[in-house]
Amino acid sequence: MAPAETSGASGFRLTAPAKLNLYLHVTGRRDDGYYRLDSLIVFTALGDVLEVAPAEDLSLAITGRFAAVLGDAADNLVMRAARLLSLEAGLPAHRGAAIRLEKRLPVAAGLGGGSADAAAALHGLCALWNVSPGDDDLARMAISLGADVPVCLSPRPAFVGGIGEILDPAPALPVLHVALVNPGVSLSTASVFANLEINPTERHGRFAEAPRDAAVLAGLLASRANDLDPPARRLCPAVVEVLSALGRQADCLLARMSGSGATCFGLFDSAAAAAAAARHIADRQPAWWAVSSPLIGDSDKVEISPIPAYM
């Protein structure tokens, strides 16, 4: 993430982009109960928005379409990230921040929204408090907050292993656009994993060569899977409906569930096709959340933008 220019700034604004699992394989389970994964993660240009500004106390205000679903702000992952960074940086107890989170992404939806929010909070508060933990320290804090937080620290395509702490760069991916659809049902990640049947077999996983276009990438992904899809379908039959709706859209190259659901995505090679698919589904299912977005490429940066006045 690009460093912020702090001179004259009284606060900072960041986007916390949604993550998508283009494939997700569960490769085993450790003795401590954590699952080992192999996944290709990418990020959309769409995300929550986080603002941080100076204040005497540490506080979090949550706004936006999905704010009411989050409940107690004091226990939000953003606040946990803020308290952890303050402790790790050895800041005085009186160092505060006014944090505002605009919740644009559905909650418990397989998009890593809470993890992206926490990663954005770490970056934004480092800029606000003028602290510079090393990459290893940030990564250690991130994995202590959640398995998806490390990859969200630098939102670019990556292969993810271990429980989420092992990150390797993915080969260059073609320009991609997605239609994202959520049926308005929250799915607990813990419940999905509790209903998972691990069947470790030899199968395709990571690939080294850069796919030349979206169709080639879709072909590679078709021989891979999301292992959390079967338990999610059992717990939330609406996932089946969403995947069917996406698969019927013109020019959809692949329809798949992200993470533990219930959000699903359709891959498209043009912005127009992705937008048309999202509009078509929203017109027929107005209670569903249906949007389109480009994916963030490896060369894109999530900027920390100074804001000139107290929020």
Side-chain angles (χ1 to χ4, degrees):
M1 186 172 291
E5 173 58 54
T6 60
S7 178
S10 62
F12 298 94
R13 179 181 295 111
L14 306 88
T15 297
K19 66 90 182 169
L20 296 178
N21 301 85
L22 294 187
Y23 76 83
L24 194 166
H25 295 165
V26 181
T27 60
R29 193 173 189 181
R30 305 193 318 190
D31 291 341
D32 60 8
Y34 285 97
Y35 288 90
R36 292 189 294 270
L37 308 174
D38 172 39
S39 184
L40 173 56
I41 287 182
V42 296
F43 292 85
T44 75
L46 178 72
D48 296 333
V49 175
L50 191 87
E51 294 183 345
V52 296
E56 292 185 3
D57 300 314
L58 188 61
S59 64
L60 172 63
I62 305 174
T63 64
R65 177 177 175 180
F66 298 100
V69 185
L70 287 178
D72 184 12
D75 194 44
N76 187 276
L77 202 56
V78 166
M79 288 293 280
R80 291 170 52 195
R83 290 190 290 263
L84 178 62
L85 177 62
S86 178
L87 178 66
E88 290 281 338
L91 297 177
H94 65 269
R95 181 67 64 91
I99 307 172
R100 184 168 68 188
L101 172 64
E102 183 183 350
K103 197 65 187 170
R104 299 179 177 181
L105 300 175
V107 177
L111 297 174
S115 296
D117 297 341
L122 289 174
H123 284 298
L125 291 170
C126 280
L128 184 72
W129 291 338
N130 196 26
V131 296
S132 302
D135 290 344
D136 289 345
D137 289 330
L138 269 179
R140 176 176 50 78
M141 284 187 272
I143 194 63
S144 74
L145 291 166
D148 279 337
V149 181
V151 72
C152 293
L153 285 173
S154 182
R156 56 173 56 93
F159 288 115
V160 177
I163 64 170
E165 81 284 12
I166 302 173
L167 307 178
D168 295 300
L173 300 181
V175 174
L176 291 169
H177 299 265
V178 292
L180 303 173
V181 182
N182 183 282
V185 179
S186 296
L187 257 180
S188 160
T189 298
S191 297
V192 173
F193 272 103
N195 285 271
L196 173 68
E197 297 177 4
I198 301 179
N199 183 26
T201 58
E202 289 292 329
R203 54 185 171 172
H204 296 294
R206 302 183 180 196
F207 49 88
E209 294 187 8
R212 68 175 181 272
D213 56 33
V216 171
L217 175 60
L220 288 171
L221 296 174
S223 62
R224 292 150 177 86
N226 182 344
D227 288 348
L228 301 182
D229 183 282
R233 288 177 185 238
R234 291 193 295 270
L235 292 168
C236 178
V239 168
V240 180
E241 298 178 50
V242 172
L243 288 170
S244 178
L246 282 166
R248 291 194 301 268
Q249 302 307 306
D251 302 318
C252 181
L253 300 172
L254 178 81
R256 177 159 290 167
M257 188 183 79
S258 179
S260 57
T263 304
C264 302
F265 61 89
L267 280 184
F268 298 85
D269 64 3
S270 76
R279 285 195 304 268
H280 186 269
I281 292 173
D283 287 344
R284 282 152 182 76
Q285 295 285 355
W288 291 2
W289 179 76
V291 298
S292 63
S293 174
L295 296 186
I296 297 174
D298 188 56
S299 61
D300 293 308
K301 305 294 182 184
V302 175
E303 298 291 338
I304 306 177
S305 304
I307 51 181
Y310 184 78
M311 316 185 273

